[in-house]
Amino acid sequence: MKRNPAVKLALSVGDCLTRWPACTAPVAPGWTVWPQTTVPCCLTLKARVPTIQTTIRRRFAGTAVPARANGTSGRRPDDLPRATDDHLSQQRRIGLAAGGDPAFRTGTQLAAMLLARDISSQEVTRAFLARIDALNGDGGFSVGSRPLTGTTPNTDIPVYGDNGKLNCFVRVTADLALAMAADADRRLDRAARGGAPVPLGCGVPLAIKDIFAIADVELTLGCPLMQGNIATGDSTVAARARAAGLPILGQTHTGPWTWDDTCPQTANPWRRTKAAGGSSGGCAAAVASRLAPFTVGSDTANSVRNPAANTGASTIKPTFGLIPLYGVTPLTVSHDHAGPICRSMSDVAILLGILGGPDAQDPRSLQAPPRPQAYPLAPRPGRKPFAGLRIGSTIETERSPPPATWAPGIRDRLRAAVEQFRALGAEIVDITPPVSDLADTSYFRASAPDPFTGEPVAAAAVWETAENAYVLEETYATTAADDPRLEGAVRTRFRRTPPIGGVAGKDQLIRRAAAFTREDLLGAYRVRREHCEKWARIFAEQDIYVMLWPEKVQTPPDRADDFTGGFSGIESSRTNATGWPTVDVPIGRDANTGIPVGLNILAPLGGDALAIQIAIDYQARHPYHLDIPTEL
């Protein structure tokens, strides 16, 4: 098949996607930026290398709290790395005092206990494998897909169904995990004897979403028709997990082709009749259910933040390109992000430090702003850690979806969280989100209408279609005669949209992309840049450091054997289209349903460490992330 010149441009214009205009986003009190930075709209925070001469310090390769400016805290700068060491020591003591099943410790507690050799990685890994064996089910149960017409399930396109248990993992790699745990123990033992330091987190088990390749392990992309598809090599995420000594427990459930915001095959451990949220639902539910301490999912439009919010987990959708996506099934290449989902934000910081950083195999990662030497782990001291911070909030100003459709219990928790931030010293500024022109055909439309519907085509549809057609062209060109399994699997991605004029969904994609001109694609990206400029101006003009906004505002739907339909949240273009980092933290539970509620914390491009530090400070005072689900 001849490749359309217009879609070839989709990757060549990637450079412009991260060249946002410079802004004067403020630096938070007590923080310093990298000197002479040329990264626009970036709060890449400076972190000092720890100089602590303690036993724990000598055993891991630097993780630090970003340095505060001299004279702002009344403490010597050298005290700051000590706060990180003190935090790890405190978390170690908490983990030891709790006793019992190590699967109920946070990743940070386990990391500290492993460094001190209080416990072995093999013990920890076996504890999680035992819980998976008891609570997950076989992971492989599938049913026929809901048909486009009629009521008889379409057995030609099976999807994963309810196996009667939590169904977080689609497959478990127990032998691999135990072998990696044994190797991690050897590395930790050598470090304890004064040998080479190990990364903080070495020996803490990890689960990975079923779109990240693990060498010689099945990779099914959330679709049972892909059974038997064996990865020939590691994704960058899997390779970095191996290098850091994180035992890989297995792969977690996602909707077919990660195109799903409910992940209905996975139970929400707070109410098993409800969806966990998607598409990284298996990751979030595994963390909440204490089946894994570390997980990594992907986020193209809420896909780590949505399930984390619904299950009480903590996560970050990092700055675009921060975690390389080599070896990951793409969805929309300029929106796709990999993101850690863990119990606490300290856990998230540890995993982000391991997985982040450029990789020549993924050009997108080479465009990301420079990252700090380390991400924060410890909360800042005092009763008002947010004193002097102007923080934006859209809780009272969001209008899409209409406020009348929000679940009352979710709105109550969001408002309570804003008051909690205010009580911690923040100055809260109500922000009205700018109107998005990305889907507005009166603002921009492609030069020709949709070849199938005759309707105008908006900017977002232009680049999304072009990027998908370019990246997945060879896959979509596969016919049933070439590979019936792959052909069927591709059809699962389009089964919700009836074919137009008898033309299958994958063919519609290719034909639509071919209708776009170079001018269409460049014009669509210009609209996207203008959208980013709107957000940059808001941060600069309102003098805010981060912004609070809702994740999902409606109760997760009931589970079904197929797509259950979406449930409303706030549109994600402010973080996926801009590439800006966004943390989601649990802020309590809906009093009417008992299901957790999540709050997003948006920071400018490269401001991952700032968002993480604020979330860590909040969790130290409001530890909702430690709540245990009611239906385990």
Side-chain angles (χ1 to χ4, degrees):
M1 179 181 295
K2 186 177 180 180
R3 181 169 288 164
N4 172 30
V7 297
K8 281 188 178 181
L9 205 57
L11 296 186
S12 66
V13 300
D15 182 60
C16 80
L17 298 180
T18 54
R19 292 181 184 269
W20 316 131
C23 75
T24 56
V27 179
W31 299 79
T32 55
V33 295
W34 286 100
Q36 299 178 334
T37 180
T38 58
V39 179
C41 298
C42 175
L43 291 180
T44 302
L45 304 177
K46 185 175 182 180
R48 299 183 185 276
V49 178
T51 56
I52 303 164
Q53 302 301 316
T54 66
T55 303
I56 286 183
R57 173 63 189 91
R58 286 185 278 109
R59 296 184 193 169
F60 70 91
T63 299
V65 176
R68 299 177 67 127
N70 289 336
T72 61
S73 66
R75 303 175 64 189
R76 294 180 299 106
D78 287 346
D79 289 344
L80 294 166
R82 190 172 301 126
T84 300
D85 185 67
D86 290 345
H87 179 68
L88 289 173
S89 297
Q90 177 199 49
Q91 292 301 304
R92 176 195 171 202
R93 290 193 298 272
I94 292 172
L96 290 172
D101 190 342
F104 282 79
R105 307 288 77 76
T106 68
T108 304
Q109 290 165 359
L110 291 173
M113 292 166 66
L114 284 161
L115 284 171
R117 307 313 288 133
D118 298 316
I119 196 169
S120 73
S121 179
Q122 293 172 83
E123 290 176 80
V124 173
T125 301
R126 288 194 183 96
F128 282 103
L129 289 172
R131 283 188 63 78
I132 294 169
D133 185 59
L135 297 174
N136 187 71
D138 62 12
F141 182 79
S142 62
V143 296
S145 171
R146 185 174 303 168
L148 294 175
T149 59
T151 58
T152 304
N154 183 353
T155 55
D156 291 336
I157 306 178
V159 295
Y160 288 106
D162 180 358
N163 69 2
K165 293 198 174 183
L166 290 174
N167 211 23
C168 302
F169 283 81
V170 64
R171 66 188 57 84
V172 180
T173 53
D175 291 344
L176 172 63
L178 289 171
M180 294 180 70
D183 181 66
D185 281 331
R186 287 189 286 270
R187 294 173 62 181
L188 287 159
D189 286 341
R190 287 194 295 269
R193 295 192 296 268
V198 296
L200 179 62
C202 180
V204 180
L206 171 74
I208 301 177
K209 186 175 180 178
D210 184 27
I211 62 170
F212 293 80
I214 303 171
D216 301 320
V217 175
E218 198 172 36
L219 182 67
T220 51
L221 321 178
C223 181
L225 284 166
M226 290 300 293
Q227 289 174 348
N229 178 52
I230 307 299
T232 57
D234 275 339
S235 59
T236 301
V237 163
R240 289 181 176 177
R242 290 184 196 271
L246 308 184
I248 299 175
L249 296 169
Q251 289 169 308
T252 56
H253 270 295
T254 177
W257 293 84
T258 195
W259 186 301
D260 168 38
D261 75 346
T262 57
C263 196
Q265 69 268 39
T266 296
N268 188 319
W270 291 93
R271 182 173 293 189
R272 291 200 189 190
T273 59
K274 296 292 185 179
S279 63
S280 305
C283 287
V287 166
S289 304
R290 281 58 174 175
L291 303 189
F294 287 169
T295 71
V296 59
S298 66
D299 191 313
T300 303
N302 289 311
S303 286
V304 297
R305 291 164 290 128
N306 166 21
N310 298 323
T311 59
S314 305
T315 190
I316 185 172
K317 183 221 67 77
T319 289
F320 180 72
L322 182 57
I323 298 179
L325 290 171
Y326 173 76
V328 182
T329 306
L331 183 54
T332 300
V333 293
S334 67
H335 275 202
D336 294 346
H337 301 69
I341 306 177
C342 306
R343 291 268 303 287
S344 74
M345 283 308 304
S346 292
D347 298 355
V348 168
I350 291 172
L351 188 53
L352 184 61
I354 289 170
L355 300 179
D359 174 17
Q361 297 175 106
D362 180 6
R364 292 166 292 184
S365 72
L366 305 180
Q367 300 173 13
R371 64 182 186 137
Q373 291 173 312
Y375 293 99
L377 288 182
R380 289 175 291 177
R383 295 175 53 250
K384 294 185 180 293
F386 300 153
L389 288 180
R390 278 173 60 88
I391 295 178
S393 169
T394 71
I395 304 304
E396 301 298 338
T397 59
E398 298 283 0
R399 294 295 179 265
S400 178
T405 67
W406 294 22
I410 293 177
R411 177 180 287 282
D412 290 346
R413 287 313 313 161
L414 291 166
R415 286 175 167 165
V418 170
E419 293 308 312
Q420 289 169 337
F421 271 76
R422 187 175 279 119
L424 293 175
E427 178 186 355
I428 301 296
V429 182
D430 284 338
I431 300 295
T432 300
V435 176
S436 172
D437 297 315
L438 302 176
D440 183 357
T441 55
S442 65
Y443 185 80
F444 169 87
R445 67 177 66 185
S447 57
D450 185 288
F452 297 98
T453 68
E455 298 294 326
V457 181
V462 171
W463 81 67
E464 289 173 2
T465 303
E467 291 173 6
N468 276 284
Y470 181 89
V471 173
L472 300 176
E473 181 181 22
E474 293 183 4
T475 299
Y476 288 171
T478 302
T479 66
D482 298 327
D483 188 336
R485 180 188 61 201
L486 184 57
E487 163 71 11
V490 171
R491 288 203 311 275
T492 65
R493 184 167 182 172
F494 296 99
R495 70 186 187 279
R496 290 183 293 176
T497 304
I500 300 174
V503 178
K506 66 174 189 173
D507 299 317
Q508 290 178 34
L509 176 74
I510 298 297
R511 293 192 198 179
R512 280 171 167 150
F516 301 145
T517 65
R518 291 177 182 268
E519 290 74 20
D520 289 337
L521 192 56
L522 288 172
Y525 281 132
R526 185 181 65 249
V527 175
R528 183 169 175 182
R529 178 187 174 107
E530 291 168 354
H531 179 70
C532 299
E533 290 172 345
K534 290 180 180 180
W535 280 107
R537 280 195 296 272
I538 282 177
F539 271 66
E541 293 170 359
Q542 297 294 330
D543 195 32
I544 59 173
Y545 309 121
V546 296
M547 188 184 74
L548 311 179
W549 52 293
E551 182 43 47
K552 290 295 183 178
V553 294
Q554 293 179 342
T555 303
D558 291 337
R559 298 170 64 199
D561 288 331
D562 200 346
F563 286 101
T564 59
F567 56 114
S568 294
I570 308 303
E571 57 88 17
S572 64
S573 67
R574 66 192 61 165
T575 177
N576 290 95
T578 62
W580 288 13
T582 306
V583 158
D584 189 87
V585 291
I587 56 172
R589 286 182 278 156
D590 181 334
N592 300 316
T593 66
I595 294 174
V597 179
L599 177 70
N600 283 333
I601 304 174
L602 173 72
L605 193 75
D608 305 71
L610 174 59
I612 288 171
Q613 181 68 73
I614 289 172
I616 288 173
D617 292 340
Y618 174 80
Q619 287 192 333
R621 282 82 180 178
H622 300 286
Y624 300 111
H625 62 289
L626 299 180
D627 292 348
I628 299 174
T630 51
E631 296 191 4
L632 286 184

